[in-house]
Amino acid sequence: MIASNQKRSIEIQYLENILPIANDGQDVIEGLSSTPKTIPAKYFYDAYGSELFEQICLLPEYYPTRTETEILQQASAEIAELTGVCELVELGSGSSTKTRLLLSAYENLGQPWQYVPIDVSSEILKESALQLHGEYPHLSILGLVGTYEQALLQLPASSLPKRMIVFLGSTLGNFTQEECDRLFNEVRDILQVGDYFLLGIDLQKPKEILEKAYNDSQGVTAKFNLNMLSHLNQRYEGNFDLDSFQHHAIYNQNEQQIEMYLRAKQVQRIQLKKLDLKIEIEAGESILTEISRKFNLEQMEEFLAQHRLKPIKYWTDEKQWFGLILSQLKEYNL
C-alpha cells in the first residue's frame, strides 16, 4: 500500500507468477530453435524498452498514438455517458498519457470510481499512479504489476456495479489470430453481463504510411528492437552483440501486417547460459520480433460479437486510420 484514506485509496500489487519457474524462457528457446527464428514481443519491455516505447509514441511518423488521442478527445465524454460510473481496468497502461482523457471524463461524473492500471513495469506504474491519484479527487487506484494473462486470471472483484476493460493502442495487432481469440475469451470470462470492453485497433492503410511508422528517421524504433537482445543478454546471461544486427521492418500485404525483424550482419554463435541454449545464426538470417496486424472495423465488430461482446458504438478519425470500439457483454441467448 502506498497511501490510503477513508474516501479513496492507492495501492500497488505484484501479481503472482502463475507459470512454473521451470518454464521461464521456454518461449525463447522454442522461438530461437525454430525456422524461421522468432523472439516473443513481450521481451521488448524491460525498463529501457518501456522508456523507448514512450519515445516512439511521440515520433512524427508514428501515427497511432496521436490519432487515437484525437479520437479520445472527441469520444471520452460520450463513452463515460454510455457506461456510467464504473471500474476501469486498463491492460498495458504504461504512463497512462492517453488514458487521462478517458479518466477525466469519468472524473467529471462526480462520483467515486476506481482505475486498475496493469503493466509489467512497476516503475512506470507506480509513478503514473501517484500522479493520477493527485489529479483526480474521486479516484481510487489499484495498480497491478504483471502480464495481461496474470491480470485477467487474478483480477479482484470490482467494488463498483459495472466494470470496463480498456485495451488502447495498437497492441492487439501484436497477437496472432489464435492469441487474439484467447484474449477475447479471457476478457469475456472476467466480465459480468452488462460490463464493457473498450478496444483500440489500428486500421488498414497504404503500405508507405505503415512502413514509415516502423522505420522512423530518428532510429528510435531500431533501438527499441535491438534492445530486446540486450534484455535477453541481461536476463539469461546471453552474448548477443547488438552491433552485429540491424533493424528491419516491412509491411506484408498478403497478411495485412507489419513484420519487424532483427537481421544478422554476419554469422552469430549465440549462447544463453541460464537457458542452456546454443544456436548459430547465419549472415543475412532474420529473427522475427513483432507482428502488427492491421484490422477492418466491420470484421472486428463481428469477431467481438462471436465472443458475446456486442458492439455498442465505434469511433474513428477523419482518415479512418484508427478505431475505438465499445462493446458490452451479453447473455448467451442474445
Side-chain angles (χ1 to χ4, degrees), residues 138-153:
H138 297 97
L139 177 62
S140 292
I141 298 176
L142 172 61
L144 301 179
V145 180
T147 65
Y148 304 153
E149 278 189 321
Q150 288 174 318
L152 292 173
L153 287 172

Side-chain angles (χ1 to χ4, degrees), residues 224-235:
F224 176 69
N225 200 8
L226 287 162
N227 182 67
M228 177 183 276
L229 301 182
S230 178
H231 184 194
L232 293 182
N233 282 346
Q234 183 176 17
R235 185 164 179 168

Side-chain angles (χ1 to χ4, degrees), residues 57-82:
C57 291
L58 301 176
L59 294 170
E61 299 97 334
Y62 193 74
Y63 63 84
T65 303
R66 66 173 180 271
T67 306
E68 188 178 32
T69 299
E70 291 171 6
I71 298 170
L72 284 167
Q73 287 171 339
Q74 300 297 321
S76 290
E78 186 177 4
I79 292 169
E81 183 180 348
L82 286 168

Side-chain angles (χ1 to χ4, degrees), residues 59-331:
L59 294 170
E61 299 97 334
Y62 193 74
Y63 63 84
T65 303
R66 66 173 180 271
T67 306
E68 188 178 32
T69 299
E70 291 171 6
I71 298 170
L72 284 167
Q73 287 171 339
Q74 300 297 321
S76 290
E78 186 177 4
I79 292 169
E81 183 180 348
L82 286 168
T83 67
V85 174
C86 61
E87 177 189 76
L88 270 61
V89 178
E90 184 173 13
L91 304 179
S93 56
S95 61
S96 302
T97 303
K98 293 188 309 258
T99 318
R100 276 176 167 78
L101 296 165
L102 197 58
L103 301 184
S104 295
Y106 280 92
E107 179 69 18
N108 288 339
L109 296 177
Q111 299 179 44
W113 60 291
Q114 179 159 286
Y115 176 49
V116 184
I118 298 160
D119 204 273
V120 294
S121 173
S122 60
E123 293 83 2
I124 289 179
L125 193 64
K126 289 176 182 177
E127 182 180 350
S128 61
L130 286 168
Q131 290 176 354
L132 293 171
H133 193 252
E135 292 175 19
Y136 299 111
H138 297 97
L139 177 62
S140 292
I141 298 176
L142 172 61
L144 301 179
V145 180
T147 65
Y148 304 153
E149 278 189 321
Q150 288 174 318
L152 292 173
L153 287 172
Q154 301 177 57
L155 195 63
S158 175
S159 60
L160 295 172
K162 292 286 179 67
R163 165 180 279 165
M164 180 168 72
I165 293 180
V166 180
F167 196 23
L168 299 178
S170 55
T171 308
L172 185 70
N174 301 148
F175 291 26
T176 64
Q177 183 62 41
E178 181 181 355
E179 291 168 339
C180 183
D181 189 68
R182 184 165 61 247
L183 174 70
F184 284 9
N185 284 338
E186 291 169 348
V187 168
R188 177 198 63 203
D189 291 344
I190 199 67
L191 295 178
Q192 301 294 319
V193 171
D195 285 349
Y196 299 93
F197 181 40
L198 182 65
L199 175 66
I201 55 172
D202 198 3
L203 302 178
Q204 296 165 13
K205 58 186 66 64
K207 176 180 179 178
E208 57 270 18
I209 295 171
L210 291 166
E211 291 193 342
K212 282 183 180 179
Y214 293 83
N215 293 284
D216 66 275
S217 58
Q218 298 179 45
V220 182
T221 309
K223 289 180 183 178
F224 176 69
N225 200 8
L226 287 162
N227 182 67
M228 177 183 276
L229 301 182
S230 178
H231 184 194
L232 293 182
N233 282 346
Q234 183 176 17
R235 185 164 179 168
Y236 299 118
E237 293 185 14
N239 66 336
F240 281 107
D241 177 9
L242 275 62
D243 291 334
S244 297
F245 289 87
Q246 62 183 14
H247 164 75
H248 183 59
I250 60 167
Y251 182 61
N252 184 327
Q253 191 75 53
N254 292 332
E255 299 294 332
Q256 296 180 330
Q257 65 188 26
I258 283 285
E259 295 172 357
M260 204 151 75
Y261 296 94
L262 290 168
R263 180 180 290 170
K265 299 178 184 178
Q266 59 198 44
V267 173
Q268 308 281 313
R269 290 180 177 84
I270 305 301
Q271 181 177 13
L272 296 172
K273 291 182 181 179
K274 285 189 176 180
L275 299 180
D276 193 25
L277 177 67
K278 294 181 180 180
I279 60 169
E280 185 168 300
I281 301 175
E282 300 295 331
E285 186 176 0
S286 293
I287 304 172
L288 177 67
T289 55
E290 182 181 59
I291 62 168
S292 185
R293 298 163 63 211
K294 309 305 169 185
F295 299 101
N296 173 283
L297 266 174
E298 289 72 23
Q299 290 175 348
M300 182 55 70
E301 286 186 309
E302 292 176 5
F303 188 50
L304 286 164
Q306 291 170 11
H307 293 75
R308 293 173 50 215
L309 294 163
K310 183 179 179 180
I312 297 174
K313 187 165 184 178
Y314 73 79
W315 298 263
T316 187
D317 58 288
E318 290 183 358
K319 297 178 181 178
Q320 295 196 335
W321 281 7
F322 203 92
L324 280 181
I325 304 176
L326 178 65
S327 59
Q328 187 174 32
L329 186 67
K330 297 298 184 180
E331 296 277 7

